Amino acid sequence: MARPWAMLGAILALGSPLAAAAQAPAPLPADVFARQTVAVTDRVHLIYKPAVTDPPFEGNVVVIEQSQGLVVVDAGGAPVSGRNVVAEIRRISAKPVRWLIYTHYHGDHNLGAGAFRAAWPKVRILSTAATRANMTGPPMDYVKTYARSYGDMAAYAATQAKDEHLPQGLRDGWARTAAAGPGMVAGYSDMRVYPADQTFTDRVSIPDRAAPVEVMFLGRGNTDGDAVVWAPKQKVLASGDLVVAPIPYAAHTYPGEWVDTLKRLEAIDFAYLVPGHGPVETDRTYVDKLIAALGDVRAQVGPLAKADVPLDEVRKRIDLKPLRRAFAGDDPWLGFLFGAVFSGDLVSNAYKEARGEAVIQGKG
Ligand SMILES: [Zn+2]
């Protein structure tokens, strides 16, 4: 997750005054990006940002302790976030980070990598070739305007928080967003992209007696180059944003291939699934729910798209209420996120897919 908020800022903040964001006391950047650590199993830790459904959205970081060093999955989504993650890693182990693996190119998973370079100069960064191509190309251009976009969004959030026509739960979500705004704007300044040093297309092994690691590309889904990281001895699988909970993320997804990729993911013998965002899962219930949701939307959108019904009309004709309830319950903020980061984009992408049109990373 990450890009939709930049886009939301651009879409929603038309003419809203930046000064409106100043109503709440500004938290320090380090506060809004603060991390906590929890042990998943022996040798595997999750470093997460609490309040996963409030901005700033920050990808999970997984630390796997091998005999001679650490393998880390993702790096935090801003320089200050990377520094927080590095501090948490040092509390887990004195061993150096030897490998940093990016699950995909979205900045909330890799813009903290500079702190890793500073702390462990010999660290090797690994990603799929597709992720490296995205990080060195136009899909990552949004980083340049990230801070401004979040500033605009925070200003818009402050106005929404005061809107008495909105349900209280939604206003509360906007108020939290507005309050985090100054910290995000500060945190998202001076950002630099660190593309991988080494790439792969199918599979890479990082052997170790106690905690071997397999890095795999299972197929397109969340992006065109998602890596999953598997620790077979500990039975822990890190999925990146192929799985995001409690609200999935669908910006530049390939709905049909995503289903196939999730089925391959489910076939791995994991006991613990660490999603790209959200708490550790210990069964396949949520992935099953996600697969069913993708199938539902494809089944509703596909025939209309093939019959040349315009996309706007398709949106009116399909019924997403049961899905919204299944993921968001009665929570107005989660319901808003469901539309903003999942169903809106999923419908567009299913529409393109049914019509044989390409989904292009970073576009549309
Ligand atoms: Zn993410």
Side-chain angles (χ1 to χ4, degrees):
M1 225 192 269
R3 301 200 64 266
W5 288 90
M7 286 187 277
L8 271 182
I11 295 162
L12 301 177
L14 301 167
S16 52
L18 277 171
Q23 66 161 18
L28 294 172
D31 292 335
V32 303
F33 288 95
R35 292 264 178 167
Q36 292 180 10
T37 297
V38 62
V40 180
T41 65
D42 67 304
R43 293 181 177 270
V44 182
H45 291 79
L46 165 62
I47 302 176
Y48 65 102
K49 195 217 107 180
V52 293
T53 54
D54 288 342
F57 298 120
E58 280 279 305
N60 282 331
V61 171
V62 181
V63 179
I64 302 164
E65 187 180 351
Q66 294 192 320
S67 307
Q68 302 300 322
L70 308 176
V71 177
V72 177
V73 184
D74 288 337
V80 60
S81 177
R83 292 193 290 276
N84 289 345
V85 167
V86 165
E88 291 292 316
I89 291 172
R90 290 200 193 281
R91 275 196 273 276
I92 294 168
S93 170
K95 292 175 185 174
V97 175
R98 297 177 72 198
W99 289 97
L100 169 60
I101 301 162
Y102 294 154
T103 55
H104 62 295
Y105 73 91
H106 294 157
D108 55 324
H109 298 260
N110 55 58
L111 289 166
F116 283 69
R117 280 257 181 266
W120 302 285
K122 290 183 184 164
V123 65
R124 296 282 295 168
I125 303 178
L126 175 70
S127 78
T128 62
T131 289
R132 191 179 195 288
N134 288 326
M135 289 182 73
T136 54
M140 208 83 186
D141 281 351
Y142 74 94
V143 167
K144 294 170 196 158
T145 54
Y146 215 32
R148 199 176 66 216
S149 301
Y150 272 82
D152 291 347
M153 188 184 71
Y156 175 79
T159 65
Q160 294 297 95
K162 287 185 216 151
D163 187 339
E164 291 173 4
H165 300 101
L166 297 177
Q168 192 58 45
L170 188 52
R171 291 177 65 185
D172 293 345
W174 285 121
R176 294 192 298 274
T177 302
M184 288 193 290
V185 171
Y188 290 135
S189 60
D190 297 324
M191 295 220 283
R192 194 177 140 194
V193 176
Y194 295 85
D197 305 308
Q198 187 172 328
T199 64
F200 73 100
T201 52
D202 181 36
R203 190 181 185 110
V204 174
S205 299
I206 307 175
D208 185 65
R209 190 175 40 78
V213 170
E214 298 288 323
V215 190
M216 296 175 278
F217 173 68
L218 301 178
R220 301 200 300 182
N222 163 56
T223 69
D224 57 359
D226 303 280
V228 302
V229 181
W230 171 227
K233 281 214 169 167
Q234 284 71 28
K235 290 188 179 282
V236 178
L237 181 67
S239 69
D241 284 2
L242 288 166
V243 184
V244 170
I247 306 296
Y249 179 71
H252 299 106
T253 47
Y254 305 87
E257 291 168 81
W258 193 2
V259 169
D260 297 337
T261 300
L262 288 173
K263 286 179 178 168
R264 283 181 211 114
L265 183 149
E266 280 197 321
I268 296 169
D269 182 30
F270 65 80
Y272 306 92
L273 173 65
V274 184
H277 302 248
V280 177
E281 297 170 15
T282 53
D283 60 31
R284 284 150 178 81
T285 308
Y286 184 80
V287 181
D288 284 341
K289 186 164 110 171
L290 177 55
I291 290 172
L294 299 177
D296 180 344
V297 171
R298 293 180 74 224
Q300 290 196 64
V301 171
L304 297 171
K306 285 179 183 153
D308 293 326
V309 176
L311 178 56
D312 286 348
E313 182 63 26
V314 170
R315 291 190 194 282
K316 286 178 201 155
R317 289 202 208 169
I318 61 176
D319 181 9
L320 298 176
K321 283 191 218 77
L323 276 187
R324 181 184 302 264
R325 177 163 289 274
F327 284 92
D330 293 325
D331 186 310
W333 179 246
L334 295 186
F336 163 73
L337 287 181
F338 176 89
V341 306
F342 183 53
S343 67
D345 291 321
L346 182 60
V347 169
S348 309
N349 294 334
Y351 187 86
K352 286 180 188 166
E353 176 183 83
R355 295 170 67 82
E357 295 166 8
V359 171
I360 299 171
Q361 295 303 310
K363 269 199 184 157

